[in-house]
Amino acid sequence: MEELLRQILSKLDNMEKGFLVFQEETRQRFEQMDGRLTEMNGRLVGLEREMGAVKERLDRMETRLKGVEARLDGVETRLNGVETELEEVKETLHRVETQLVDDVQILLRKIHEKVEEKSFEIYALNRRLHHAEAAIEQLQSKL
């Protein structure tokens, strides 16, 4: 029986040694895992900082883009105003061209009428001049 107790104690000692080895290995693994977790935590903190910096830059970019959009809206409004004024200028120019053509046609008709009027007077003066020249020739030939 003593022998049996010794065997049991021996086995229990072996089991205890195995358990202690297992416990030490587990403790080392946990320490490694803890070290890795600490390292990962440090990396995560670094990533969070970088993400914060990226977020700030994106926020600034969004603010700038909103400013650009506002300026573009102003430019678009001004451009629409310029387009409207250009259309008005085109319409006015078309009216002026049409009026000028009508005015030139009226002036040409009046000039034509005056020329016709004066051509009859010139014709009459020309006939009188011929009569006067003929009379002068007759008088000169009598002298």
Side-chain angles (χ1 to χ4, degrees):
M1 176 108 134
E2 268 183 52
E3 186 61 32
L4 185 63
L5 281 177
R6 279 186 204 162
Q7 286 178 355
I8 292 173
L9 282 175
S10 171
K11 286 184 181 182
L12 282 174
D13 281 342
N14 286 339
M15 283 176 60
E16 186 179 10
K17 287 178 187 176
F19 178 75
L20 289 174
V21 169
F22 175 76
Q23 187 180 15
E24 184 60 30
E25 286 175 359
T26 305
R27 185 177 299 125
Q28 287 175 357
R29 286 184 184 167
F30 277 126
E31 285 175 3
Q32 287 176 350
M33 287 174 56
D34 191 40
R36 287 182 185 166
L37 284 174
T38 303
E39 182 183 332
M40 288 174 70
N41 190 31
R43 287 182 181 174
L44 282 175
V45 168
L47 284 173
E48 285 176 347
R49 284 186 196 135
E50 289 179 23
M51 290 300 290
V54 167
K55 185 179 181 292
E56 286 177 20
R57 291 172 80 186
L58 283 174
D59 289 344
R60 283 189 302 234
M61 294 274 295
E62 282 181 359
T63 303
R64 286 181 182 172
L65 284 175
K66 286 178 184 175
V68 168
E69 285 176 357
R71 282 188 240 139
L72 284 176
D73 288 343
V75 168
E76 185 177 1
T77 302
R78 290 175 63 191
L79 186 58
N80 287 339
V82 168
E83 285 177 347
T84 303
E85 289 178 10
L86 183 60
E87 280 300 316
E88 291 172 2
V89 167
K90 282 181 179 179
E91 289 172 5
T92 303
L93 183 60
H94 181 69
R95 279 195 310 270
V96 166
E97 285 177 337
T98 304
Q99 288 173 353
L100 279 176
V101 168
D102 292 344
D103 290 347
V104 167
Q105 286 177 347
I106 290 169
L107 287 172
L108 287 173
R109 279 191 210 115
K110 286 186 178 185
I111 289 171
H112 182 68
E113 289 171 4
K114 294 280 185 185
V115 166
E116 275 189 27
E117 226 175 83
K118 296 300 178 187
S119 69
F120 287 121
E121 291 176 12
I122 290 172
Y123 178 74
L125 287 173
N126 212 6
R127 281 185 59 202
R128 285 184 185 168
L129 182 62
H130 275 323
H131 284 294
E133 285 177 349
I136 291 173
E137 284 294 322
Q138 273 182 350
L139 286 173
Q140 279 182 348
S141 63
K142 289 183 184 177
L143 284 176

